[in-house]
Amino acid sequence: EGHPRVPELELPTKDSDEARVLSVLHVADTQTADLVASATGFDAARCARALCLLEIEGLALPTPGGRYVRSALAERLLGTL
């Protein structure tokens, strides 16, 4: 009691939609949801759902113009930073 909760940080499960979307995002190169959908083969709704869940987890970040990037947190969890 009296201690702040430490969030459990983890990547999406390997074969999930979120993992597939995260794999096509890059930390330095913004992409539109349409480009992400095209790269994953998902329809727009499925892609938007995965992007939303990644945003909630702090693994993807929206940028101006409706574009997305992989977060630094995701890079750390992936071991690429």
Side-chain angles (χ1 to χ4, degrees):
E1 280 186 48
H3 298 286
R5 185 179 76 81
V6 176
E8 294 180 26
L9 303 173
E10 57 186 47
L11 292 169
T13 56
K14 183 181 177 187
D15 295 324
S16 68
D17 288 354
E18 294 80 21
R20 200 154 152 197
V21 167
L22 190 60
S23 74
V24 301
L25 292 176
H26 302 282
V27 73
D29 182 28
T30 63
Q31 297 183 51
T32 65
D34 288 340
L35 286 173
V36 174
S38 177
T40 59
F42 295 163
D43 63 32
R46 187 174 175 187
C47 183
R49 179 188 169 280
L51 282 167
C52 183
L53 291 172
L54 290 169
E55 277 187 68
I56 290 168
E57 295 297 321
L59 300 175
L61 301 171
T63 63
R67 300 174 79 83
Y68 293 86
V69 293
R70 184 187 295 170
S71 71
L73 170 62
E75 291 290 302
R76 277 197 305 273
L77 292 173
L78 288 165
T80 55
L81 269 185

